[in-house]
Amino acid sequence: MISAIRDKYNKEFKESTYNNFLNDIWRWTNGEQDFRICETPLFIDAKLKSKLIEASDKILSYLQSNDFKVKSKNAVPKELIVPNESTHPEFLQIDFAITADQLGEPFPKLIELQGFASLYGFQTELDKFNRKHYSIPEGFQSYFNNLNFESYKKLLTETIIGNEDPENVILLEIEPDKQKTRIDFHITRKLLGIETVCVTKIIKEKNKLYYLKNGIKTEVKKIYNRVIFDELLKKKIEFGFDFRDELDVQWVCHPNWFFKISKHSLPFIQNEFTPKCYSAEGATIDEINLEEFVLKPLYSFAGSGVKVELKREMLSEINDLKNYILQEKVEYMPLIKTPDGYSKAEIRMMFLWKEKPILVNNLLRTSKGKMMGVDFNKGKTWVGSNIMYHK
């Protein structure tokens, strides 16, 4: 991106520094590495930063419109509707592929979005470790809206805990110790002082929920929700309450937003920053060149079920096409110069939503394969997750 910074970073890079960097990070999990962290962050110029913010603003404008409210009414499967839905999600992520425009300049294209939590704890820690082990140029930062670590932590605390006692707020997950994102749970506990609790450990009495803290039954008044229904249904987890019950708890985010702001929303968002997208059921298949599209299931997570090489017979074999979308393929540009070629990049813009959505931080994913993700980058270096820096 910024060639002088990139060349300097690459020239100074040492494998020993990278290993020390990784060792520092993964002390949180006793040295077990749950996902690949890239050898480098991304440094972007003011032009791409401006485009990312403009693209985000246009998408946010639609998500706050009456048209979105109408079209998202039926997004939640009827059997999974949770009562007492909030007016908006407290967390929002917008994922952009970095492509090239007609002049060959970096240009963001919407890939995914979610009204669900992301690595809001881990990314703050990652920034600290980058600064500890590498030379981050003066004036470059990962936060937005003039936030720093302390002001970001304050806003995150207000969003998740609010006026409650931290012992009455929990991070809820399925088998949290087995999750690839468990490092984020540990860091969140350090940041906010809240416990991570497995759904199977929740105790229900009438409409109230409890968990055991140091052996003492403690009421749950607020749930920082990290449970993905897709995983919950696949694993057939048995636990002592039902998300669909009338419960005396506040959800952060409310589970319905996982469905409402999701791939379900993509066909409705149309601007220069969005690829073509259709409901697979409603699309006129004969008029679409399937080679130019990917098939994505609505209700899945982390890329599961995505079909890249499409054929018409594949669609005819699917009984519930209404639960799929066809999204135009985007060509990621070779963006980050590395010792063995260029990496492609995807940038997650991370928001906290109180009275209005506030852009607070970001997450970077890099790849040298056909798609982002572990399966497409096995054996490759200078790929994985990190963070984006900007002025």
Side-chain angles (χ1 to χ4, degrees):
M1 278 295 304
I2 304 175
S3 57
I5 294 176
R6 174 51 52 202
D7 290 344
K8 182 177 184 293
Y9 184 96
N10 289 9
K11 185 178 179 180
E12 294 176 351
F13 179 83
K14 294 179 180 178
E15 200 68 34
S16 59
T17 304
Y18 177 55
N19 289 331
N20 290 336
F21 164 75
L22 291 178
N23 290 337
D24 249 3
I25 290 174
W26 294 112
R27 283 177 187 163
W28 285 98
T29 56
N30 296 318
E32 295 180 24
Q33 300 186 18
D34 292 324
F35 51 87
R36 195 177 200 284
I37 300 174
C38 187
E39 286 85 340
T40 180
L42 170 64
F43 305 98
I44 69 167
D45 58 23
K47 190 180 290 187
L48 179 54
K49 175 185 175 181
S50 178
K51 288 176 184 175
L52 283 163
I53 291 174
E54 181 187 357
S56 297
D57 286 345
K58 287 194 173 186
I59 292 163
L60 286 169
S61 179
Y62 177 73
L63 294 178
Q64 296 174 85
S65 70
N66 286 329
D67 188 66
F68 172 73
K69 289 177 183 177
V70 171
K71 289 179 177 175
S72 65
K73 275 187 176 180
N74 298 320
V76 188
K78 289 181 180 180
E79 68 276 13
L80 297 177
I81 293 174
V82 176
N84 304 314
E85 183 181 307
S86 56
T87 56
H88 58 76
E90 287 82 2
F91 299 96
L92 175 70
Q93 281 73 242
I94 307 177
D95 293 350
F96 292 102
I98 305 304
T99 68
D101 64 14
Q102 292 178 340
L103 299 175
E105 295 290 324
F107 191 85
K109 284 280 190 177
L110 176 65
I111 291 296
E112 297 275 4
L113 72 170
Q114 61 180 47
F116 189 75
S118 185
L119 303 183
Y120 283 83
F122 177 71
Q123 291 305 104
T124 65
E125 196 79 347
L126 183 59
D127 174 44
K128 290 181 181 179
F129 284 125
N130 273 333
R131 294 182 185 279
K132 176 181 175 181
H133 291 276
Y134 301 115
S135 177
I136 304 301
E138 186 176 349
F140 279 77
Q141 58 192 335
S142 62
Y143 299 105
F144 293 88
N145 286 305
N146 298 315
L147 292 170
N148 56 29
F149 171 72
E150 291 300 331
S151 56
Y152 171 81
K153 178 182 174 182
K154 182 175 182 292
L155 186 57
L156 188 66
T157 303
E158 291 171 355
T159 302
I160 295 176
I161 296 177
N163 296 321
E164 298 294 346
D165 188 316
E167 77 168 13
N168 299 121
V169 182
I170 63 166
L171 187 159
L172 188 69
E173 181 54 289
I174 304 162
E175 300 178 319
D177 292 337
K178 297 180 181 179
Q179 296 290 341
K180 289 185 177 181
T181 52
R182 59 184 170 148
I183 189 170
D184 183 68
F185 309 157
H186 298 321
I187 294 168
T188 300
R189 184 177 187 271
K190 178 188 174 185
L191 283 173
L192 307 182
I194 64 174
E195 300 294 333
T196 298
V197 182
C198 180
V199 290
T200 60
K201 303 298 182 182
I202 295 292
I203 303 162
K204 181 187 175 188
E205 294 182 1
K206 295 184 179 179
N207 66 337
K208 292 187 181 293
L209 300 181
Y210 300 86
Y211 74 107
L212 295 179
K213 182 173 184 178
N214 299 322
I216 299 171
K217 191 171 72 173
T218 305
E219 185 177 352
V220 177
K221 295 183 179 180
K222 219 169 185 185
I223 294 175
Y224 176 29
N225 184 41
R226 302 294 290 268
V227 174
I228 302 292
F229 272 138
D230 182 54
E231 182 182 0
L232 196 65
L233 297 172
K234 281 182 179 177
K235 289 187 174 180
K236 298 181 180 179
I237 302 288
E238 294 185 6
F239 52 104
F241 74 100
D242 194 316
F243 280 73
R244 299 164 297 182
D245 291 340
E246 284 283 351
L247 299 170
D248 187 15
V249 296
Q250 182 181 345
W251 296 96
V252 184
C253 291
H254 190 282
N256 290 355
W257 289 108
F258 174 79
F259 299 101
K260 288 195 162 190
I261 298 180
S262 67
K263 287 185 279 291
H264 184 277
S265 318
L266 293 175
F268 313 135
I269 306 174
Q270 298 178 8
N271 57 57
E272 67 270 35
F273 299 104
T274 61
K276 295 175 184 176
C277 190
Y278 309 98
S279 166
E281 184 182 49
T284 307
I285 303 300
D286 292 338
E287 298 177 6
I288 294 175
N289 182 357
L290 290 180
E291 292 180 0
E292 297 176 357
F293 287 80
V294 294
L295 182 72
K296 295 183 175 182
L298 290 182
Y299 308 123
S300 68
F301 198 65
S304 63
V306 174
K307 304 293 183 185
V308 179
E309 306 298 334
L310 277 183
K311 296 181 179 178
R312 297 190 186 280
E313 53 266 30
M314 292 170 62
L315 297 181
S316 63
E317 293 170 358
I318 297 174
N319 296 322
D320 58 340
L321 276 177
K322 65 179 181 180
N323 291 325
Y324 288 80
I325 59 167
L326 288 165
Q327 185 179 47
E328 185 181 27
K329 291 178 181 177
V330 298
E331 187 173 345
Y332 291 72
M333 75 178 294
L335 188 71
I336 304 172
K337 184 180 179 181
T338 82
D340 60 344
Y342 282 79
S343 293
K344 297 173 281 190
E346 197 168 283
I347 297 171
R348 169 168 292 181
M349 304 291 268
M350 299 169 62
F351 295 80
L352 293 176
W353 192 335
K354 294 183 71 182
E355 289 78 21
K356 62 179 182 179
I358 301 170
L359 178 59
V360 294
N361 208 346
N362 76 86
L363 184 151
L364 169 72
R365 299 175 71 206
T366 58
S367 172
K368 291 179 180 176
K370 282 187 177 181
M371 289 179 62
M372 295 288 163
V374 175
D375 291 344
F376 297 91
N377 288 278
K378 288 178 179 176
K380 294 179 170 61
T381 59
W382 293 65
V383 295
S385 68
N386 207 296
I387 204 163
M388 172 193 75
Y389 289 103
H390 60 92
K391 267 192 170 181

